[in-house]
Amino acid sequence: MPDVLSKHPIDVIVLGSLVVAALWAVLSPRLLRAVIALALASICVTALLFRLEAPLVGVFELSVCAGLISAVFISSISLSQLETEETIAKARRERIRRYWFLPLLLLFVGIAVGHMSPPTFTRVPAGGLEVRSVLWTERHLDLLGQVVILLAGAFGVVVFFKETKKHEP
Amino acid sequence: MSPELLTAYVVTIVLLATTGLFYLLVTTNLIRALVALELMTKAVTLGLVLVGKLTNNPGFTQALTITVIVIEVVILVVAVGLVLLCHKHTGTVDARNLRNIRG
């Protein structure tokens, strides 16, 4: 562990921050703080994606996950008064009872996976398409499927909150 | 990529997925279940891009990851809409209190 910390300090610090942010999102009794921790986790993932030479995916992750999804969560919490003093107190009381096992589980899993030999992958010959080329030239029917999903999501939300007209006698 | 750094990435991805899965199984709050789903999706996103880099095929895996992110946000928006509708009709987002199914 000290070797990887001295050779790749930025990666190790960001990886550690990601795990800490995820734990904060889980253990926080306040829903709003859990959502903020989730946004911080997205920022850490963005940094790692840039380190892995995937800037386009990093920009998507930052704008969509850290931005749009956080805004959706926060607006839903504020519009519906989902977080009250009662729910916060209840979550604080139940936190230890529910999540005491989580640090032990993560420690066990981390040590077990850390002692395994790293996975090996077969490298394909160089010359593969760049991500923009794949997005714009190699996609066919799956693009249609993605458009259908987007439209289904948009219309679904519209239908959920459609006001029903009252019929007068 | 050095084996030590690869191990660090793999351990983080597994820890993130484990945390999300544990949270999803334990929580009864529907909004917190969506937060757990987001954590697991982040692990998948990181794993996909890492595999693409290691196999020298980054274009395909990154395009796939962008598709996953788009579908993830659509699913999340619809799920939040469902939760808000549920809260509007029943006054709660606790899964333990949602026991009345009326046909």
Side-chain angles (χ1 to χ4, degrees):
Chain A
M1 187 66 181
D3 288 336
V4 69
L5 189 58
S6 57
K7 288 179 190 172
H8 310 279
I10 297 173
D11 292 277
V12 172
I13 288 169
V14 178
L15 287 168
S17 306
L18 176 57
V19 175
V20 168
L23 279 173
W24 184 24
V26 169
L27 297 174
S28 174
R30 290 180 178 264
L31 195 52
L32 198 60
R33 290 184 187 174
V35 170
I36 292 169
L38 187 68
L40 282 175
S42 293
I43 292 168
C44 293
V45 169
T46 302
L48 291 170
L49 289 171
F50 272 91
R51 295 289 295 172
L52 291 171
E53 296 167 4
L56 204 58
V57 183
V59 166
F60 260 85
E61 176 75 25
L62 189 67
S63 56
V64 171
C65 297
L68 176 62
I69 287 178
S70 301
V72 166
F73 273 128
I74 291 171
S75 58
S76 66
I77 292 168
S78 63
L79 284 173
S80 300
Q81 303 295 323
L82 288 172
E83 192 165 57
T84 60
E85 288 301 322
E86 186 188 337
T87 58
I88 294 168
K90 190 177 176 184
R92 194 171 280 129
R93 281 195 304 268
E94 289 184 347
R95 192 171 37 166
I96 292 176
R97 182 177 66 85
R98 281 193 179 174
Y99 302 115
W100 65 270
F101 188 62
L102 181 61
L104 298 172
L105 176 67
L106 292 181
L107 195 63
F108 172 73
V109 168
I111 291 172
V113 174
H115 278 92
M116 289 180 186
S117 55
T120 55
F121 297 93
T122 307
R123 291 178 72 87
V124 298
L129 289 174
E130 202 248 346
V131 60
R132 290 179 186 84
S133 303
V134 174
L135 280 174
W136 297 116
T137 63
E138 291 298 309
R139 301 180 64 192
H140 302 287
L141 283 178
D142 65 311
L143 202 60
L144 180 64
Q146 195 170 348
V147 169
V148 169
I149 288 173
L150 281 167
L151 287 174
F155 285 123
V157 174
V158 168
V159 167
F160 286 154
F161 295 102
K162 189 177 174 183
E163 291 287 333
T164 53
K165 291 182 184 174
K166 292 181 183 178
H167 296 284
E168 295 180 8
Chain B
M1 182 180 281
S2 65
E4 296 88 11
L5 184 60
L6 176 59
T7 303
Y9 268 95
V10 170
V11 168
T12 305
I13 289 167
V14 171
L15 288 181
L16 200 57
T18 306
T19 305
L21 184 61
F22 185 87
Y23 199 25
L24 187 64
L25 291 172
V26 168
T27 189
T28 55
N29 188 312
L30 296 176
I31 293 285
R32 289 181 185 269
L34 296 177
V35 171
L37 201 65
E38 284 299 305
L39 286 175
M40 289 194 285
T41 313
K42 281 178 204 332
V44 167
T45 300
L46 208 50
L48 277 173
V49 172
L50 179 67
V51 166
K53 183 176 169 67
L54 292 171
T55 55
N56 200 27
N57 192 11
F60 176 70
T61 52
Q62 288 177 28
L64 194 63
T65 309
I66 289 171
T67 308
V68 165
I69 291 172
V70 170
I71 294 175
E72 168 201 352
V73 75
V74 171
I75 289 172
L76 187 92
V77 166
V78 173
V80 166
L82 274 173
V83 170
L84 289 179
L85 205 60
C86 174
H87 183 262
K88 183 179 167 186
H89 284 289
T90 62
T92 181
V93 291
D94 193 331
R96 291 172 294 188
N97 298 334
L98 301 173
R99 295 181 189 276
N100 296 328
I101 297 177
R102 294 179 186 176

